[in-house]
Amino acid sequence: MIRVLFVCLGNICRSPIAEATFNHLVKSKNLDKHIECDSAGTAAYHIGSLPDKRIRKVAQDNGLILTHKARQLAHDDFFKFDYIMAMDQSNFENIRKVSLLARDQEPSDIGIQLYRAFDPEKGNSLNVPDPYYEDFAAFQNVYEIVRRSGSVFLDFLIEKHNLNAPEI
Ligand code: 4NP
């Protein structure tokens, strides 16, 4: 099983929609027996909360129901997950710091990546912009970014882990 964790700051806007769009794509390709995912936040502010109602509305407009309850990134996550996908550079730095504590060693970037690096329309920005203090359009933009990034990221996983090989 390949395990992917999506991480943002609060785990109520970007990472839950990244998780849901990616899960949907994985299921549509019948890869759910090979890939599983979850999401978490670097901060503790919203632990236990459902995603923000604005991102739930965007999800629903696109046929997805978000039911994730926010949780904080934990030390175990560095041992459970193969890929930890940061929504922005600040999350990336925070994840590295937690990884340093969790692994009791120098921070390793292995497995920690900026999700937007997979976005074919990333332009100059590797960040999925934080929409929390923005308008509804910012939430729709987050959806489009994570959908595009997820599609390329899944192709990357399929290729890297040879997931299209016929089963014996
Ligand atoms: P997220 O968005 O990191 O995409 O879940 C945010 C959620 C909450 C806050 C900031 C960003 N906050 O400041 O409470």
Side-chain angles (χ1 to χ4, degrees), residues 21 42 58 70 106 144:
T21 49
T42 59
V58 172
E106 283 304 298
E144 295 299 338

Side-chain angles (χ1 to χ4, degrees), residues 83 85 113-122 126 145 148-157:
Y83 294 91
M85 310 307 291
Q113 300 185 51
L114 279 167
Y115 197 39
R116 203 170 179 192
F118 291 92
D119 179 4
E121 294 177 35
K122 61 183 172 289
L126 290 180
I145 293 170
R148 291 193 304 260
S149 304
S151 175
V152 177
F153 180 52
L154 184 56
D155 288 343
F156 161 81
L157 291 182

Side-chain angles (χ1 to χ4, degrees), residues 8-16 45-46 87 91 130-133:
C8 61
L9 176 63
N11 192 212
I12 54 165
C13 302
R14 292 166 293 173
S15 59
Y45 325 126
H46 299 282
M87 295 299 118
N91 307 147
D130 182 347
Y132 193 65
Y133 294 105

